[in-house]
Amino acid sequence: MIPVAEFKQFGEQQPAFKVLKPWWDVLAEYLTVAMLMIGVFGCTLQVTQDKIICLPSHELRENLSEAPCQQLLPRGVSEQMGGLREVSGLKNNLDLQQYSFINQLCYETALHWYAKYFPYLVVIHTLIFMVCTSFWFKFPGTSSKIEHFISILGKCFDSPWTTRALSEVSGENHKGPTAAAATGRPAVTVAATAGPGKAGEGEKEKVLAEPEKVVTEPPAVTLLDKKEGEQAKALFEKVKKFRVHVEEGDILYTMYIRQTVLKVCKFLAILVYNLIYVEKISFLVACRVETSEVTGYASFCCNHTKAHLFSKLAFCYISFVCVYGITCLYTLYWLFHRPLKEYSFRSVREETGMGDIPDVKNDFAFMLHLIDQYDSLYSKRFAVFLSEVSESRLKQLNLNHEWTAEKLRQKLQRNTRGQLELALCMLPGLPDTVFELSELEALRLEAIGDITFPPGLSQLVNLQELSLLHSPARLPFSSQIFLRDRLKVIRVKCEELREVPLWVFGLRGLDELHLEGLFPPELARAATLESLRELKQLKVLSLRSNAGKVPASVTDVAGHLQRLSLHNDGARLLALNSLKKLAVLRELELVACGLERIPHAIFSLGALQELDLKDNHLRSIEEILSFQHCRKLVTLRLWHNQIAYVPEHVRKLRGLEQLYLSHNKLETLPTQLGMCSSLRLLDVSNNGLRSVPAELGLLQNLQHLALSYNTLEFLPDELFFCRKLRTLLLGYNHLSQLSPQVGALRALSRLELQGNRLEALPEELGNCGGLKKAGLLVEDALYEGLPAEVRDKMEAE
């Protein structure tokens, strides 16, 4: 007997593949098993018991009828085969060997092929059906995708994050932002069902989510353990890559259609020929063979012993084939009556509140349709890993797990303003634990993508400064109200200025606004900036861009703006007339603005105290005379330009206290510079000066003088009349000696002499009471050449 287990390999599949079997495939599988059992049973009978028993016919050859076995039919079948003819037994004089010979010969020649091979045909056809059903699970081009999909699907279904994400996101959707704001964490609730049609699914979701609700400590609600978080993160990446790969083609859809069409064709062929030939299985078989010389008879009447059983098996097999064919026809109807290459998660989006779940197409969509026939809960839980909302929430939970409040407190430092600052750089998001640091005064976020400030921002009651460097941020309305009057300083750096969040321009309590970014080339000339009218208290505005003119919106804050900084990165600033309206402006920086002359609009700023024109293309500063109209000007920075000389008009700037002329092309200084009696700082380093005028000794208020990196060969003794001088930088010149008059500089605390041609230092340096070894920058050999008592005095504390 042939065991059914021998055929198991033809239909054997991985148990996990059952999720891709709709009900009609499952029914077809059971039908094939039943048909296979019929075939195996028939084959067993065929091999072990099937035979025919023949008796010779005594009719003369010329009198043989077309139905030589009619007269031998039993009485019960007389109505079908004709009238009954009673005969008496005759002696045939045939031995056993002759009967066996006749039986075998008639079995091979007289018995119809359908009656002989019916069981084998059943087995062969059934095996073909089984191969057609499971071929797409075995074919390399499809099986790899199916195995990958099943693997990911199982992990998504079993992931703790799936249940948590559905409950958290749905909970937030139903409870609203108010409830979440109360705790600063998303609420964990069981997702409500979308309607009565989803009741079963809702119950499953409730059972799955229930363990997540049993929580004793609130922090454990929102935090996965590290291993679970990493596994869920990896799943998101796998789903993204799998989606891109599978949505490119439709080989699974095409293969399923082809094998279904093949099964339908096979079903029709089997049905037709079985209905035609099933009547060939008869109980009596007429056999005519030329054996008269051997047996004395040429006509025999034979009995097919298993004909009755085979005919019943045949009708049973045909019934199963009909049912199988109906399932195949229904499969074709299901395949073509709806677009299976598109799959919409609309119901999942409505039920869970995750509105960003994308629809899918091609093979990805087809597999999800098959999954829905098995259990729609699978596609719902799988959809969690297609949602960016879910992914961002997972990243947030992992981030909170990694960056605890204690770890963040260790990163707190005092900034240049003396504020307690937290700086975070290149994180996947903003940890919620940041908002537990109520002592935080300044928050600096750099290269952190897509920040959304939660309602927990209101816990930072001491926050005054916020820096967003390449970190786009969204601010809910409730948080805008909180920051509107509290935030004093904000810094925003982005690729283009149009990326600056609009809520920044509504912070009416802002004192300082620092913006950095470029205008698009077509908008650079217009340099349009959002209105600043809401910034009623703005005192400092810094703009680093490529503006072609001073933005018109700057005049919105003209009545209270005290400091304006425009850094243009070399782009030429053409229109500056708007500056005239800044009546209370005290500090102005026009850095790298491509200026060739000092703009006349500056001379109208009567309140101006500091002016910085660094990194421009100034060659001449004849307009310096007009600075006498800026009566409050105390600091003038003209460094890093191409200025070749200083005009004599500089003497008019009697109120000037600081003058920066370093990194220019000066070769001489005007003697009139000594008439700037208020000058406390003079920096002319990094020029080509060969000498300095003796009139500099008239600057009795001078405290800082920088002459480094020039070509000075000597210094006038009058220079040492500046008794208040504290810093004297003479490094990297051509000085061969230092005048003993340096000892008159009692207040000197810093003296730079390195990089010169000095052979010795005057011992009068010992008279500079404020000069210590740390403040004397000179070669070691020269220092060691000083008298011991001078060195001891400098080294004494």
Side-chain angles (χ1 to χ4, degrees):
M1 186 172 181
I2 304 175
V4 179
E6 295 293 332
F7 302 96
K8 185 179 180 182
Q9 58 178 329
F10 293 99
E12 185 177 6
Q13 302 153 12
Q14 296 184 19
F17 284 3
K18 64 182 181 180
V19 297
L20 288 179
K21 290 183 179 179
W23 64 265
W24 52 84
D25 279 351
V26 175
L27 177 60
E29 188 174 312
Y30 283 111
L31 290 174
T32 55
V33 171
M35 290 186 286
L36 184 62
M37 292 179 66
I38 291 175
V40 172
F41 178 62
C43 288
T44 304
L45 293 177
Q46 185 87 355
V47 171
T48 59
Q49 301 181 21
D50 189 34
K51 61 183 179 179
I52 61 175
I53 301 174
C54 299
L55 294 176
S57 174
H58 292 270
E59 295 289 339
L60 296 177
R61 181 176 303 214
E62 58 273 13
N63 295 328
L64 287 175
S65 65
E66 295 300 324
C69 297
Q70 264 188 342
Q71 68 274 21
L72 300 179
L73 287 174
R75 186 180 301 274
V77 295
S78 59
E79 296 179 359
Q80 301 175 4
M81 303 298 294
L84 177 66
R85 179 181 176 183
E86 183 177 356
V87 296
S88 58
L90 297 176
K91 186 175 181 180
N92 296 318
N93 297 319
L94 297 178
D95 58 20
L96 184 61
Q97 294 294 332
Q98 290 175 320
Y99 276 116
S100 297
F101 173 76
I102 295 300
N103 291 344
Q104 292 296 328
L105 188 60
C106 288
Y107 185 87
E108 295 296 333
T109 59
L111 192 64
H112 194 271
W113 63 267
Y114 184 80
K116 287 190 293 185
Y117 301 117
F118 161 72
Y120 302 106
L121 293 174
V122 172
V123 172
I124 293 173
H125 295 325
T126 303
L127 292 179
I128 294 175
F129 279 139
M130 295 173 70
V131 170
C132 290
T133 301
S134 62
F135 183 72
W136 74 320
F137 292 123
K138 305 292 185 179
F139 183 67
T142 55
S143 62
S144 60
K145 291 184 179 180
I146 293 175
E147 290 174 2
H148 196 185
F149 175 72
I150 295 299
S151 173
I152 293 177
L153 182 69
K155 292 177 181 178
C156 292
F157 190 88
D158 296 333
S159 174
W161 170 247
T162 307
T163 301
R164 191 159 301 180
L166 288 173
S167 58
E168 285 181 354
V169 178
S170 301
E172 289 177 356
N173 184 59
H174 296 314
K175 293 181 69 175
T178 305
T183 60
R185 303 183 180 89
V188 178
T189 58
V190 178
T193 56
K198 299 288 184 178
E201 183 175 302
E203 289 298 318
K204 291 181 182 178
E205 184 63 18
K206 183 174 181 179
V207 172
L208 290 169
E210 189 65 29
E212 300 296 327
K213 295 177 62 181
V214 184
V215 178
T216 56
E217 298 181 4
V221 176
T222 59
L223 296 180
L224 298 173
D225 63 51
K226 187 175 182 179
K227 183 178 179 181
E228 291 174 342
E230 291 299 324
Q231 290 175 346
K233 182 180 178 181
L235 269 179
F236 273 105
E237 294 300 321
K238 287 183 179 179
V239 170
K240 285 181 181 179
K241 294 179 180 178
F242 179 76
R243 179 188 172 194
V244 172
H245 175 63
V246 175
E247 281 191 322
E248 292 177 352
D250 59 353
I251 185 173
L252 293 174
Y253 176 74
T254 304
M255 184 66 70
Y256 193 82
I257 289 180
R258 289 177 179 176
Q259 69 182 31
T260 304
V261 171
L262 181 60
K263 288 191 292 184
V264 171
C265 296
K266 184 71 176 176
F267 148 71
L268 294 176
I270 293 173
L271 184 64
V272 169
Y273 92 78
N274 273 275
L275 290 177
I276 293 175
Y277 290 113
V278 69
E279 64 182 14
K280 299 298 181 180
I281 303 177
S282 61
F283 182 73
L284 292 179
V285 180
C287 176
R288 295 183 179 89
V289 290
E290 295 297 329
T291 58
S292 57
E293 295 180 357
V294 178
T295 62
Y297 299 95
S299 178
F300 298 88
C301 186
C302 304
N303 171 25
H304 187 192
T305 59
K306 297 301 178 185
H308 181 73
L309 179 59
F310 279 1
S311 64
K312 297 297 185 289
L313 290 178
F315 283 110
C316 185
Y317 171 68
I318 292 173
S319 300
F320 282 131
V321 169
C322 290
V323 178
Y324 187 92
I326 292 173
T327 62
C328 294
L329 292 174
Y330 178 81
T331 304
L332 283 181
Y333 168 76
W334 180 78
L335 285 170
F336 293 111
H337 94 288
R338 57 185 299 185
L340 297 181
K341 294 173 68 175
E342 298 176 359
Y343 188 91
S344 174
F345 285 101
R346 182 177 62 181
S347 60
V348 179
R349 290 193 290 264
E350 293 174 353
E351 184 175 350
T352 63
M354 291 184 286
D356 67 321
I357 300 176
D359 295 336
V360 296
K361 59 183 181 180
N362 289 337
D363 281 344
F364 202 178
F366 179 62
M367 286 189 288
L368 289 173
H369 281 295
L370 290 176
I371 289 293
D372 282 347
Q373 297 298 320
Y374 181 80
D375 190 347
S376 60
L377 183 60
Y378 275 89
S379 59
K380 176 182 176 182
R381 296 176 72 85
F382 188 79
V384 170
F385 290 88
L386 293 171
S387 169
E388 291 185 1
V389 170
S390 174
E391 184 178 12
S392 62
R393 188 59 194 148
L394 173 65
K395 290 180 179 178
Q396 190 66 42
L397 292 179
N398 288 338
L399 203 61
N400 295 343
H401 186 272
E402 180 180 0
W403 293 91
T404 61
E406 292 74 15
K407 185 176 180 179
L408 290 174
R409 281 192 171 89
Q410 295 175 3
K411 290 180 64 67
L412 293 178
Q413 293 181 350
R414 295 285 177 181
N415 60 14
T416 55
R417 299 170 180 261
Q419 296 173 322
L420 204 57
E421 182 181 65
L422 174 64
L424 298 176
C425 180
M426 299 184 69
L427 295 182
L430 183 62
D432 290 335
T433 47
V434 169
F435 308 106
E436 298 178 15
L437 310 180
S438 57
E439 68 272 23
L440 193 63
E441 297 175 304
L443 179 60
R444 180 184 178 90
L445 306 176
E446 184 172 359
I448 300 178
D450 296 328
I451 300 172
T452 299
F453 287 105
L457 181 64
S458 59
Q459 300 177 32
L460 303 181
V461 293
N462 295 313
L463 186 65
Q464 297 182 2
E465 181 174 338
L466 177 63
S467 298
L468 301 173
L469 311 181
H470 296 292
S471 303
R474 292 184 292 272
L475 192 67
F477 182 71
S478 59
S479 299
Q480 290 183 34
I481 296 176
F482 173 76
L483 290 181
R484 187 168 55 188
D485 297 317
R486 294 175 179 271
L487 205 60
K488 301 301 180 183
V489 180
I490 187 167
R491 306 174 192 275
V492 180
K493 182 178 181 180
C494 49
E495 292 295 330
E496 295 186 359
L497 282 175
R498 58 186 172 187
E499 299 174 7
V500 177
L502 294 179
W503 54 265
V504 170
F505 302 98
L507 302 174
R508 62 190 183 189
L510 211 58
D511 289 339
E512 298 184 19
L513 174 61
H514 303 267
L515 302 178
E516 182 174 347
L518 299 178
F519 288 104
E522 64 276 9
L523 301 178
R525 182 176 292 273
T528 304
L529 196 64
E530 291 292 331
S531 174
L532 305 177
R533 293 176 183 173
E534 293 294 324
L535 308 182
K536 303 297 185 181
Q537 301 180 24
L538 191 67
K539 296 180 176 60
V540 177
L541 174 61
S542 175
L543 178 63
R544 182 164 186 166
S545 66
N546 59 338
K549 67 174 185 179
V550 177
S553 56
V554 172
T555 58
D556 294 339
V557 291
H560 43 83
L561 190 65
Q562 297 180 7
R563 186 176 186 271
L564 174 63
S565 176
L566 298 178
H567 196 302
N568 235 31
D569 285 329
R572 190 171 182 182
L573 192 63
L574 300 174
L576 295 133
N577 291 332
S578 300
L579 295 178
K580 296 180 179 180
K581 300 179 181 180
L582 306 180
V584 298
L585 193 67
R586 296 181 182 179
E587 300 179 29
L588 176 62
E589 292 183 4
L590 301 176
V591 178
C593 293
L595 302 176
E596 296 181 357
R597 304 187 70 87
I598 300 176
H600 290 277
I602 296 177
F603 306 133
S604 302
L605 304 176
L608 191 64
Q609 297 179 7
E610 297 185 17
L611 175 63
D612 190 347
L613 299 178
K614 180 182 179 181
D615 273 332
N616 283 286
H617 303 312
L618 300 178
R619 298 178 182 274
S620 172
I621 53 173
E622 289 291 342
E623 301 88 349
I624 200 171
L625 177 63
S626 300
F627 278 124
Q628 62 183 334
H629 300 296
C630 303
R631 301 184 181 279
K632 297 183 179 181
L633 186 66
V634 295
T635 301
L636 179 60
R637 296 183 175 90
L638 301 174
W639 46 359
H640 297 269
N641 281 283
Q642 302 175 24
I643 301 171
Y645 70 96
V646 178
E648 299 177 355
H649 313 306
V650 71
R651 67 179 184 274
K652 299 291 185 180
L653 306 181
R654 298 187 180 275
L656 195 64
E657 296 183 2
Q658 299 182 19
L659 178 60
Y660 294 83
L661 289 168
S662 64
H663 296 84
N664 278 288
K665 297 183 178 180
L666 297 175
E667 294 184 358
T668 61
L669 293 177
T671 58
Q672 289 80 2
L673 190 59
M675 301 178 65
C676 298
S677 55
S678 300
L679 206 61
R680 295 187 294 108
L681 183 147
L682 176 61
D683 186 356
V684 289
S685 59
N686 290 276
N687 279 283
L689 296 176
R690 297 178 181 177
S691 63
V692 294
E695 285 75 10
L696 289 185
L698 300 175
L699 302 176
Q700 294 300 305
N701 292 314
L702 192 64
Q703 298 179 14
H704 182 103
L705 177 60
L707 296 170
S708 304
Y709 294 94
N710 283 286
T711 57
L712 299 176
E713 296 182 355
F714 69 94
L715 296 175
D717 290 342
E718 291 80 1
L719 183 63
F720 302 104
F721 292 166
C722 302
R723 307 300 189 193
K724 295 183 180 181
L725 204 60
R726 296 182 178 179
T727 302
L728 179 58
L729 306 180
L730 301 172
Y732 302 96
N733 279 283
H734 299 164
L735 299 176
S736 58
Q737 64 176 359
L738 182 63
S739 173
Q741 297 295 328
V742 71
L745 304 179
R746 309 285 180 169
L748 192 66
S749 59
R750 180 176 175 84
L751 176 62
E752 181 188 273
L753 294 171
Q754 60 189 9
N756 283 283
R757 302 172 181 175
L758 300 174
E759 297 181 358
L761 296 178
E763 62 180 23
E764 284 78 7
L765 284 176
N767 298 329
C768 302
L771 186 62
K772 301 298 180 182
K773 181 181 180 180
L776 178 60
L777 303 180
V778 69
E779 288 80 2
D780 292 340
L782 291 176
Y783 178 76
E784 295 297 332
L786 287 171
E789 60 272 13
V790 174
R791 282 185 282 121
D792 292 342
K793 186 175 182 181
M794 288 185 178
E795 295 173 3
E797 296 184 359

